[in-house]
Amino acid sequence: MSDPKGTNPNPAPAQSPGRVKPQGKPGGERDLAWAQRIRKQLLGINTGVIVGAIMVSLIIGALIVVAFDQDVQATASYLFARPSDFFSEAGSTFQSFFSSLVRGAIFDYRASTTAGAVKPIFETLTRSVPLILAGLAIAVAFRAGLFNIGVQGQFIIGSLCGAIAGFHLSLPYGLHLLVAMLCAIVGGALWGGIPGLLKARAGANEVIVTIMLNSVAALLLSYMLTTKFMIGDGTSGKSMYVLETAQYPRPFTNYRLDISIIIAILAAIFVWWLLERSTFGFELRAAGANPDAARTAGISVPRVIFLTLVISGALAGLAGTAPILGTERFLTGGSAGSYGFDAITVALLGKSTPLGTVLAGLLFGALAAGGATMQSSAGIPVDIVQITQAIIVLLIAASEAVRYFRQKRKVAARTSAAAGAKQKGEDK
């Protein structure tokens, strides 16, 4: 007998409150929409804004040096009696900031030999290699809408694995270097795969997981550097030296620059191909731009999340070979420095593009190389480099905040005008 109201005569039993299925997107996709908005805003930063922020930050850094210079402060005490002394000293200090930066990063025009004059540009290239590779690791993840804050930990694990292969394996020249590089890449990829798997399967926030893994990696390295396996007959805190067969060759005997700069360029070309020409790169960009549309098109967003963080970790692990197999050739607790965190700024300035990341890495390498000369020749503290980098980020963030509030006011004005026009139409 049919129901007169047309309802189902045998309705399904109501589901108990404890068995209600959670609504929302599965796994790590649930917060990709938020990351997508942040990604669009950061990738939309105008190149002119970035260049302007760099120039203004250098000027502010020079003014800070002037303000804290002892000679300038001494002349400021009798500024109104002899103002020429103050302005002369301030101008000299301001000029020495930029001249020492150029001499340390590009060309030392005071050097007595040609080799010494061009040494700064080689030092800039040397210091930029780990920044470029680590910046590429950040850029790959960021293009997928992921914030891989764990590049520092992946850098550490990569350098640890590369160092172990470098001094514990006995292989022919060339093959030994390739194996050490491969071990570093695999170590970084595995360390990046942990947050990738947790986010893809359990929806864990990659920022929190990667930050925690940074601490785990640092503590693991500290412990390993106390074991005989790592230090041999040396002292605690410093590993054995990497065997010569596993070291990056240096084409120029007078400079620290090695072939890792070529590897960094090849990695940038690979990332460009991956993002712009490969099928997975299309899926990665689609998932980062609009995860809902990507899922509708049949793209497995959890798979993209996992593989992206694996690739990002592999690039970070490769970055770890720059100091271990190249410049230092041994491992300490400070070998990783702050490369993983500086890489975030490098990727930001490069707008997460391979070419932009390379240029930003060269800029930061120049600042690092110039900072050493600024301290030795002009007595300027090397910390001014970190201050300048921080000012760049603050200026870019401030410009984006201004742009956001301007757009918000425009939207509010258009809404108000539309409401006013509608009200006038109703009154008529």
Side-chain angles (χ1 to χ4, degrees), residues 4 39 58 99 109 114 131 167 185 204 230 242 244 256 279 298 315 318 333 342 355 368 385 406 416 419 427-428:
R39 172 187 175 277
L58 290 173
S99 63
Y109 50 85
T114 303
L131 291 169
F167 51 65
I185 291 172
M230 289 289 294
V242 172
E244 186 176 355
R256 297 198 307 158
T279 302
L315 289 168
L318 180 62
D342 293 340
L355 177 59
V385 173
R406 282 181 178 176
S416 178
D427 293 341
K428 292 181 180 179

Side-chain angles (χ1 to χ4, degrees), residues 46-128:
N46 188 282
T47 304
V49 171
I50 295 176
V51 175
I54 294 172
M55 296 177 64
V56 172
S57 67
L58 290 173
I59 295 174
I60 292 176
L63 292 176
I64 292 174
V65 171
V66 171
F68 288 93
D69 184 78
Q70 293 182 353
D71 294 334
V72 174
Q73 291 177 351
T75 56
S77 62
Y78 56 90
L79 172 63
F80 296 103
R82 284 162 52 185
S84 60
D85 289 357
F86 171 78
F87 289 108
S88 175
E89 192 63 40
S92 176
T93 303
F94 187 87
Q95 183 269 338
S96 67
F97 174 89
F98 291 98
S99 63
S100 58
L101 181 61
V102 171
R103 287 178 51 226
I106 301 175
F107 184 79
D108 189 358
Y109 50 85
R110 294 183 183 177
S112 57
T113 62
T114 303
V118 299
K119 183 179 180 179
I121 190 63
F122 285 92
E123 189 64 21
T124 293
L125 293 174
T126 301
R127 291 174 180 263
S128 66

Side-chain angles (χ1 to χ4, degrees), residues 292-331:
D292 292 329
R295 187 168 48 253
T296 303
I299 297 174
S300 175
V301 177
R303 169 179 164 272
V304 171
I305 291 173
F306 174 71
L307 291 179
T308 299
L309 287 176
V310 167
I311 295 172
S312 178
L315 289 168
L318 180 62
T321 64
I324 305 307
L325 306 181
T327 53
E328 298 179 7
R329 299 177 174 178
F330 59 87
L331 185 62

Side-chain angles (χ1 to χ4, degrees), residues 155-176:
F155 187 106
I156 292 173
I157 296 300
S159 61
L160 177 62
C161 295
I164 292 174
F167 51 65
H168 275 305
L169 296 180
S170 180
L171 297 171
Y173 186 83
L175 178 61
H176 195 179

Side-chain angles (χ1 to χ4, degrees), residues 327-348:
T327 53
E328 298 179 7
R329 299 177 174 178
F330 59 87
L331 185 62
T332 66
S335 294
S338 61
Y339 289 124
F341 301 113
D342 293 340
I344 299 174
T345 310
V346 169
L348 173 65

Side-chain angles (χ1 to χ4, degrees), residues 241-259:
Y241 278 87
V242 172
L243 298 178
E244 186 176 355
T245 52
Q247 297 174 5
Y248 284 128
R250 292 179 180 174
F252 308 101
T253 56
N254 295 329
Y255 310 112
R256 297 198 307 158
L257 182 66
D258 52 58
I259 65 167

